[in-house]
Amino acid sequence: MRDFRDRLKDILEANAQIAREQEKGKAAFESTPLIQVWMVHHRMIIGEAVRSIDPAIKHTTLLFHGGKSLG
């Protein structure tokens, strides 16, 4: 089973991949179905990783940041 650090690494890597792809611009995204699927895939990786993080860790993180959104 993957631990918290592995999940966090997955989130950061997927986010970096999305950021690099965004540099191509909105027109490239809208005109290329492969990019669209690729972006959805990486967002799913982020969602899966976040869902798998222990709720106690998520709660502690929110308390540390004063309950404010980190995004």
Side-chain angles (χ1 to χ4, degrees), residues 6-30:
D6 292 330
R7 297 292 184 184
L8 184 56
K9 184 179 175 186
D10 291 343
I11 293 166
L12 294 173
E13 287 177 358
N15 192 53
Q17 293 287 340
I18 289 170
R20 280 192 287 275
E21 203 64 31
Q22 283 178 322
E23 292 174 2
K24 294 180 182 178
K26 185 176 180 177
F29 174 79
E30 290 177 342

Side-chain angles (χ1 to χ4, degrees), residues 1-50:
M1 176 170 255
R2 299 173 61 79
D3 68 5
F4 171 72
R5 289 187 176 145
D6 292 330
R7 297 292 184 184
L8 184 56
K9 184 179 175 186
D10 291 343
I11 293 166
L12 294 173
E13 287 177 358
N15 192 53
Q17 293 287 340
I18 289 170
R20 280 192 287 275
E21 203 64 31
Q22 283 178 322
E23 292 174 2
K24 294 180 182 178
K26 185 176 180 177
F29 174 79
E30 290 177 342
S31 66
T32 312
L34 185 58
I35 293 175
Q36 295 169 17
V37 169
W38 190 89
M39 291 284 223
V40 169
H41 172 73
H42 281 81
R43 291 191 57 130
M44 289 173 68
I45 290 171
I46 292 170
E48 176 66 23
V50 168

